[in-house]
Amino acid sequence: MAMIKRSPDIQLDSWRSLQAAMLYHYASTDALRELHSAVTNLIEGVVDPLLELSRLQGRDEALRNPRWGERDTSETWSKNAWPFLKDLQKSVAKDIATRNFGQYCRTSTDECLRGADQYSMLWTSDDEEARYQAAVQLINHISGPIDDTLDEHDSGRWSDFEFMFRYRDFCRVYPTRPVYRVRKDICANSGELPPRDGVYVSADDPHATLQFAWTKGRGCKLRSATTFNEIGLAALDFVGRSKLWNDVEKMYEFATLPSFAEIFREQLEVNGREYPRFAPGVVSQSSFMRKPSRWYFVEIDGEGSLPSEPAWEVSGMSETVLRLQAGEMCKVSR
């Protein structure tokens, strides 16, 4: 009797288990509640008190002028920018409600905050505006990975480098997380709707980052796999899994190898001065490609924990890893 050859089981290592934990969290109502709390704090804890203080102090009387009229007044800001913040608060509340019914979508954070940003804040002092911007920055920090996780486009944001950029904060807040089991009987290909809502792992590429997809509404089709290209594989081989993206000195050494120096030299320099700490971010921009894949469902299978110092982390790193997006201007102090 002929034996049926079975494909080998996929075991999630610590790194991919952490990716699964991050994606399940960022797609959860808990993440949305954290965002809603931050937006509420911005409105009720920062903006509303500042608007009331401006009214009590009569600031607008000094800000009205024949040339600009009401443009720089707190009244103009409250009538035009403040509603964007309230719309964001209501939108996140709606997202929380619909998430309980299996509906997923990106938040409206980017659109609402960009709308509010169009209006002058000259009615505030430098310190007051700094408080506002700090609260906005926190909102962006919370909403960013939520939106990256629920981005329906095939060119999703999550890559090996992006997960590294986020995981330290995640581990500090969530040191304990579920144990996962790969369900090979629940599978689909890139470009197809998933059989179930949740996280999926590539069946044929151990370096591909995990992704989240869902079925309800329009659904989100499984995207192409984001994985290492030749440069990424070379960096992985040279630096090693435990130091990739984290060890600034090794990443800089890789970026300045004769084989790659011409590719990265200009991106490592600002005004003729070379900055080794740029190396992880600069190399990451040229290290990934996308390709079709088959995907298996990653199921939560009990509770467990990962080490607080994951095996791939380099402790005591002396320099800061900078993340730059394509076309973004880098500003550093000399």
Side-chain angles (χ1 to χ4, degrees):
M1 181 177 178
M3 298 294 292
I4 299 176
K5 186 177 180 180
R6 298 180 58 188
S7 57
D9 291 337
I10 293 179
Q11 300 294 330
L12 295 186
D13 56 23
S14 294
W15 181 226
R16 290 193 290 180
S17 292
L18 180 54
Q19 292 180 27
M22 293 170 72
L23 291 174
Y24 270 121
H25 170 71
Y26 295 136
S28 71
T29 54
D30 286 344
L32 288 174
R33 290 191 185 98
E34 183 182 5
L35 176 60
H36 188 269
S37 177
V39 175
T40 300
N41 179 68
L42 171 64
I43 296 171
E44 299 179 1
V46 179
V47 171
D48 286 353
L50 287 179
L51 288 171
E52 178 62 14
L53 180 62
S54 175
R55 185 188 68 80
L56 291 174
Q57 293 178 340
R59 296 182 185 182
D60 287 358
E61 294 302 318
L63 293 170
R64 295 186 179 96
N65 62 70
R67 181 177 182 183
W68 300 115
E70 302 281 333
R71 190 190 73 168
D72 296 328
T73 63
S74 61
E75 183 178 1
T76 295
W77 201 94
S78 67
K79 289 180 178 178
N80 296 280
W82 188 87
F84 279 109
L85 303 183
K86 289 299 291 185
D87 285 347
L88 175 58
Q89 185 185 43
K90 294 175 183 177
S91 174
V92 177
K94 180 181 178 181
D95 289 343
I96 293 172
T98 57
R99 185 65 47 82
N100 292 323
F101 297 97
Q103 300 287 341
Y104 295 90
C105 65
R106 297 176 75 255
T107 72
S108 59
T109 303
D110 186 62
E111 294 82 356
C112 290
L113 292 184
R114 283 179 181 270
D117 192 50
Q118 302 306 307
Y119 295 92
S120 170
M121 292 198 72
L122 288 177
W123 56 275
T124 62
S125 68
D126 290 345
D127 288 343
E128 290 168 348
E129 184 175 2
R131 285 172 53 203
Y132 172 84
Q133 294 299 340
V136 167
Q137 186 176 9
L138 176 61
I139 290 171
N140 281 321
H141 180 77
I142 297 171
S143 67
I146 297 174
D147 291 339
D148 290 346
T149 300
L150 303 180
D151 188 347
E152 300 178 29
H153 297 94
D154 196 53
S155 56
R157 284 286 305 278
W158 285 115
S159 68
D160 195 90
F161 177 80
E162 292 292 332
F163 275 112
M164 183 282 300
F165 189 80
R166 292 281 182 179
Y167 86 86
R168 288 186 184 85
D169 286 343
F170 183 82
C171 284
R172 278 193 289 267
V173 179
Y174 303 99
T176 301
R177 57 192 62 88
V179 173
Y180 300 100
R181 178 162 65 104
V182 176
R183 292 285 302 273
K184 297 174 66 176
D185 58 320
I186 303 176
C187 57
N189 298 315
S190 294
E192 298 176 350
L193 284 173
R196 286 174 57 178
D197 300 349
V199 173
Y200 286 80
V201 62
S202 173
D204 44 41
D205 190 333
H207 300 306
T209 54
L210 278 66
Q211 62 171 295
F212 188 92
W214 60 94
T215 61
K216 294 182 179 63
R218 294 181 304 173
C220 177
K221 295 178 180 179
L222 288 160
R223 310 161 191 84
S224 300
T226 299
T227 188
F228 295 123
N229 58 19
E230 291 183 359
I231 292 178
L233 290 172
L236 176 65
D237 182 64
F238 182 85
V239 179
R241 176 70 266 182
S242 66
K243 298 183 178 182
L244 187 64
W245 315 127
N246 290 287
D247 191 316
V248 171
E249 292 183 2
K250 288 293 291 184
M251 292 300 302
Y252 176 71
E253 186 179 350
F254 171 79
T256 54
L257 289 173
S259 304
F260 301 105
E262 289 300 318
I263 300 175
F264 300 123
R265 179 178 290 113
E266 290 186 1
Q267 300 173 70
L268 293 172
E269 294 182 356
V270 176
N271 296 327
R273 179 180 174 181
E274 205 164 66
Y275 288 85
R277 60 179 170 168
F278 290 179
V282 165
V283 173
S284 74
Q285 293 181 25
S286 301
S287 293
F288 301 103
M289 66 177 183
R290 303 186 65 81
K291 67 177 186 179
S293 179
R294 187 160 181 78
W295 299 90
Y296 293 148
F297 181 65
V298 178
E299 183 177 62
I300 298 176
D301 188 31
E303 293 291 330
S305 63
L306 291 178
S308 58
E309 293 288 338
W312 55 87
E313 181 171 7
V314 177
S315 301
M317 186 171 62
S318 60
E319 299 202 60
T320 302
V321 175
L322 300 183
R323 181 181 68 166
L324 298 176
Q325 301 302 327
E328 181 180 353
M329 180 178 293
C330 177
K331 299 178 181 179
V332 295
S333 58
R334 297 179 66 88

